[in-house]
Amino acid sequence: MPAPLSSGIGIANLPNQKHKIVAKRGAHFTIMVVGESGLGKTTLINTLFATELAQGRDYANRHSKQLEDKYTEINIVKAELEEKQFRVKLNVIDTPGFGDYVNNKDSWTPIVDFIDDQHESFMRQEQQPDRNQRVDMRVHACLYFIRATSHALKPLDVEIMKRLGSRVNLIPVIAKADTMTPNDLVGFKKRVRDAITHHGIRIYTPPIEADDPQAADHARSLISAMPFSIIGSTQDVVTADGRTVKGREYLWGVAEVENEEHCDFKKLRSLLIRTHMLDLITTTEEQHYESYRQAQMETRKPGEAKVRKLDNPKFKEEEENLRKKFTEQVKLEETRFRQWEQHLIAERDRLNKDLETSHAAIKAIEAELDSMTSMNAYPGGSQMGTRSSGRR
């Protein structure tokens, strides 16, 4: 009987094999940013990935043009990042127009529809014979930007966060945290957490690994920091002690992006990129996508297409405008018809009167003609009678 191998059979090398596969294939990651305009969404994304993903005037012009329509739009920016020969295909989904108007009813519909449509598209591709050319645009993480105020969540925040939390890994962030004092920021964070708990909003929670104390402590620190307070800046500034950092310069000093005493940017970057990117991808695959797929398979027949209601506010308004236009056109035609009918009635009455007048004139002429005929007949007869009696 051969002696057992002291070094084992090699199962422990599976993580190394997985690393090689991931390194060879690379990865793709889709992140969505949702929030009102002016909260620094684009700046934060560029700061996170240390590149100008959404840059230049073209992006700004596209953003402004879409806002003129007063609807929430979907912008997709694609990039390929490489670090130490490892590549990541990155998709950034921006949502300009959301929450920017007095009436923001149904402004979340295009966002929710986009997330559902990506699940639907991937599910349909999985059912095809050839799946090698699948396009996966499922959203792995959604950063929801909360405006730093003296209050907590607005009704619009609550409504969309509830809808997003059931579909995607929702990560709340407090935008432009440098506009609040440290004490005010602590109080605001607490109010936001209380509102999330009270309304039952589901947010992404990093898993705590019991077999890895260091990773568990890191996960707990991330959980306790939520919602992440963020300062976004791609500008290099010099601090009072001579250091060059990414940050914003004020009269009172410099707000440093990567200083954990100033904001939670490093924690957010760690969550999204360094420690939990694969978990975000896996959670999307195993929880959110599977939940969608199961719900769809239970409510439709195999191969049947998804039946969707046109509940997009843009479609609703267009439909309402067409309905109003049609109603106005019908009313206009009815008014024209009534005027035409009244004109016909008046013309008929006039013709009848003309006819009566003409008929009376004809009667008068006939009577005059009869009178003249009688007068011509009797005088001639008397003369003829007189002449006859004279001859006798």
Side-chain angles (χ1 to χ4, degrees), residues 237-245 256 259:
V237 295
V238 180
T239 62
D241 56 0
R243 293 178 296 113
T244 301
V245 298
E256 300 179 31
N259 189 332

Side-chain angles (χ1 to χ4, degrees), residues 1-153:
M1 188 175 188
L5 298 175
S6 59
S7 59
I9 61 175
I11 296 177
N13 289 321
L14 287 178
N16 296 331
Q17 297 178 32
K18 179 68 174 178
H19 172 76
K20 292 179 181 178
I21 294 174
V22 173
K24 181 179 179 180
R25 293 181 178 177
H28 74 274
F29 187 66
T30 301
I31 183 172
M32 173 180 278
V33 290
V34 180
E36 302 172 10
S37 297
L39 294 183
K41 300 188 295 294
T42 302
T43 302
L44 176 61
I45 292 298
N46 292 338
T47 308
L48 277 171
F49 297 99
T51 185
E52 294 291 326
L53 294 176
Q55 62 179 343
R57 186 178 302 174
D58 292 340
Y59 181 83
N61 289 341
R62 183 168 68 250
H63 186 277
S64 300
K65 182 179 180 181
Q66 289 167 342
L67 290 183
E68 291 174 1
D69 296 333
K70 296 187 178 181
Y71 297 110
T72 302
E73 300 290 343
I74 302 296
N75 281 347
I76 303 176
V77 179
K78 298 184 178 183
E80 187 167 321
L81 309 179
E82 183 174 353
E83 183 177 280
K84 296 181 180 180
Q85 297 183 343
F86 181 76
R87 295 182 179 181
V88 173
K89 292 182 179 179
L90 178 67
N91 301 312
V92 178
I93 315 297
D94 193 11
T95 56
F98 171 76
D100 291 342
Y101 308 100
V102 175
N103 183 7
N104 290 296
K105 183 181 179 181
D106 298 327
S107 59
W108 55 78
T109 303
I111 301 173
V112 171
D113 283 349
F114 179 83
I115 296 173
D116 289 345
D117 287 347
Q118 304 320 305
H119 289 317
E120 175 70 18
S121 175
F122 191 80
M123 185 177 72
R124 300 291 294 178
Q125 291 179 79
E126 281 192 318
Q127 298 172 356
Q128 302 304 315
D130 184 9
R131 300 186 299 174
N132 293 327
Q133 303 299 322
R134 286 180 301 181
V135 177
D136 187 3
M137 285 289 292
R138 293 174 296 178
V139 180
H140 300 121
C142 176
L143 299 183
Y144 186 78
F145 284 67
I146 303 170
R147 185 178 293 276
T149 63
S150 58
H151 307 287
L153 297 178

